[in-house]
Amino acid sequence: QVQLEESGGGVVQAGGSLTLSCLASGRTVTWYAVGWWRQAPGKAREFVAGVSGNGGFAGHDGITKYADAVKGRFTISRDHVRNTVTLEMKRTLPEDTATYYCAAEQSIDALRARPVSWGKGTLVTVTS
């Protein structure tokens, strides 16, 4: 079981930058893929970005995946020492406005499909 807590949401002007952080805790947290989903008002929740864990095996760590809508603008990174996953958002657009949720699953493919562990979310508002 992984517990997740987001921080860093807020208001940013279009074209600006914002960084979200997710603190992950749990006995085997380094095994898990951790990432971000978002949900805009009136829309379905969607995958944003994820980074793999080591799954207990060397060489499986640090693989990143991004949604097409954020490729080249958002960067996800992971710090195993601090148990944090960071989403650096650059060149933000009004359509990036959403509640961003940290999520975790046993593999990055499962994280993209249907994660079972969720944080409570943090709101990001991009003004035009």
Side-chain angles (χ1 to χ4, degrees):
Q1 189 75 13
V2 178
Q3 290 79 47
L4 306 165
E5 182 176 356
E6 305 94 339
S7 62
V11 180
V12 61
Q13 198 167 11
S17 300
L18 195 67
T19 299
L20 305 182
S21 291
C22 174
L23 176 63
S25 59
R27 195 162 61 91
T28 56
V29 64
T30 58
W31 290 17
Y32 283 79
V34 180
W36 296 88
W37 283 59
R38 68 185 181 186
Q39 187 166 20
K43 294 189 176 181
R45 200 173 291 193
E46 63 178 4
F47 171 79
V48 176
V51 56
S52 64
N54 59 31
F57 298 94
H60 286 223
D61 204 358
I63 298 170
T64 57
K65 300 287 185 183
Y66 295 92
D68 288 343
V70 307
K71 276 181 184 176
R73 300 189 298 118
F74 292 9
T75 302
I76 191 168
S77 60
R78 184 168 190 161
D79 184 336
H80 281 308
V81 174
R82 293 181 175 84
N83 283 337
T84 57
V85 173
T86 298
L87 184 70
E88 188 176 7
M89 306 167 61
K90 294 184 176 180
R91 303 201 307 276
T92 53
L93 303 168
E95 48 263 47
D96 293 324
T97 295
T99 298
Y100 284 71
Y101 296 90
C102 186
E105 249 297 348
Q106 293 188 8
S107 72
I108 196 162
D109 288 335
L111 179 70
R112 294 174 69 182
R114 193 179 180 90
V116 295
S117 298
W118 296 92
K120 293 182 179 180
T122 186
L123 179 62
V124 172
T125 302
V126 182
T127 61
S128 56

